[in-house]
């Protein structure tokens, strides 16, 4: 057991190397061959094709015939990422799920735009951002194999610091005491003065500058006061999910054509339009007949059924519950 623990890293590394060597050794078994020739088929990135061709001609002294074929849209092809820095760091997150198909959009750049944003929105503290940045940098230097993942988390830490400035939070503190605030004001740094009331007691504090107070800023929605961070979470969810539907529409359009893309993906936008029209009509913000919104909604259900069958109808509540689930972005931030 001790030897197993002691040499675990070595064994795992070389197990992977041996698996690759076995694949290489078995590869000729998959070639079509005669007594004097053989045929091999494989995939090469377009950018590397010229160099690959020159290498084969040189290695065989010109005794080779190379035929270049364009793969079909429906072939199950291997995928090779081709992203610039720092986008290539986010490929590690893609590999945790499933690689995009050859005809699909590579969403790595979207992870660059969303993952650090969500991370920073939830944590949102200057002190925590600096602390996590140092921890991730240490892990990156200590264990180089984690470099890409740590780069992702270090970018997220930078966004955490920026949100911390927006929230005015520093290691959980939102203000100075009255004494410290007056001392700083005497030095020329005057902060906003505020009176806090808690359990019947009041105290004077000096707040850090901020754009949004996570614990107290509210938005009036239909006569109800909701915390701003929770409402922002729902708005982010609506944008994020609809952007995902647009990408799905693009992928479906490339793979199966406009009809399938319209029925399976665009029908969701028609459904959302029906819900929005209904709500705006009920609240008096739009002067429409009451039946307009529900009719648009029913039309979307028909389109969805034609595109995805009963499965699409069953998933109707999911799209709206998923949007509401983004409230967790703000809730986790409040809990932290």
């Amino acid at each position: 057991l001790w030897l197993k623990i002691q040499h675990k890293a070595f064994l795992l590394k070389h197990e992977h190397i041996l698996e690759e060597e076995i694949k290489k050794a078995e590869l000729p078994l998959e070639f079509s061959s005669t007594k004097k020739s053989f045929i091999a088929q494989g995939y090469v990135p377009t950018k590397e094709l010229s160099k690959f061709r020159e290498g084969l001609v040189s290695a065989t002294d010109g005794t080779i015939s190379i035929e270049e074929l364009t793969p079909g849209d429906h072939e199950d092809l291997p995928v090779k990422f081709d992203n610039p820095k720092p986008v290539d760091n986010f490929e590690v997150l893609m590999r945790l799920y499933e690689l995009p198909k050859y005809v699909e959009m590579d969403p790595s750049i979207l992870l660059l735009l969303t993952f650090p944003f969500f991370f920073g929105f939830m944590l949102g503290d200057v002190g925590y951002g600096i602390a996590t940045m140092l921890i991730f940098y240490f892990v990156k230097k200590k264990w180089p194999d984690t470099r890409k993942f740590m780069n992702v988390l270090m970018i997220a830490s930078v966004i955490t610091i920026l949100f911390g400035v927006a929230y005015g939070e520093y290691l959980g503190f939102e203000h100075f005491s009255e004494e410290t605030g007056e001392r700083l004001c005497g030095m020329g740094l005057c902060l906003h003065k505020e009176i806090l009331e808690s359990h019947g007691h009041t105290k004077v504090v000096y707040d850090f500058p901020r754009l949004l107070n996570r614990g107290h800023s509210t938005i009036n929605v239909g006569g109800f006061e909701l915390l701003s961070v929770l409402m922002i979470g729902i708005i982010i969810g609506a944008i994020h999910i609809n952007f995902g539907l647009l990408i799905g529409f693009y992928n479906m359009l490339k793979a199966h054509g406009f009809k399938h893309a319209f029925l399976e993906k665009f029908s969701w936008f028609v459904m959302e339009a029906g819900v929005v029209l209904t709500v705006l009509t009920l609240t008096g913000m739009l002067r429409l007949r009451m039946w307009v919104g529900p009719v648009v909604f029913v039309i979307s259900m028909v389109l969805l059924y034609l595109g995805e069958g009963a499965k699409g109808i069953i998933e109707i509540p999911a799209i709206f519950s998923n949007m509401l689930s983004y409230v967790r972005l703000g809730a986790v931030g409040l809990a932290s």
Side-chain angles (χ1 to χ4, degrees), residues 163-228:
F163 268 105
V165 173
Y167 295 152
E169 296 183 24
Y170 300 79
L171 289 175
F173 293 100
E174 298 179 272
H175 44 249
F176 286 121
S177 65
E178 182 178 11
E179 295 78 11
T180 304
E182 290 176 354
R183 193 178 306 118
L184 288 173
C185 196
M187 297 167 59
L189 180 62
C190 293
L191 303 175
H192 174 68
K193 188 175 183 179
E194 187 174 343
I195 299 176
L196 294 182
E197 184 174 347
S198 178
H199 303 292
H201 299 283
T202 60
K203 66 175 180 178
V204 177
V205 297
Y206 284 80
D207 280 341
F208 292 125
R210 63 168 59 90
L211 297 176
L212 174 70
N213 188 313
R214 279 201 284 187
H216 303 288
S217 295
T218 59
I219 297 176
N220 189 290
V221 180
F224 295 95
E225 294 293 328
L226 299 178
L227 283 172
S228 299

Side-chain angles (χ1 to χ4, degrees), residues 33-70:
S33 61
T34 67
K35 290 182 178 180
K36 294 184 178 181
S37 65
F38 66 87
I39 301 173
Q41 178 179 328
Y43 300 95
V44 180
T46 305
K47 291 181 179 179
E48 301 174 15
L49 184 59
S50 297
K51 185 178 178 181
F52 179 76
R53 184 192 297 272
E54 291 172 6
L56 285 178
V57 171
S58 174
T60 59
D61 293 325
T63 59
I64 186 171
S65 174
I66 301 174
E67 183 181 4
E68 179 184 343
L69 301 174
T70 302

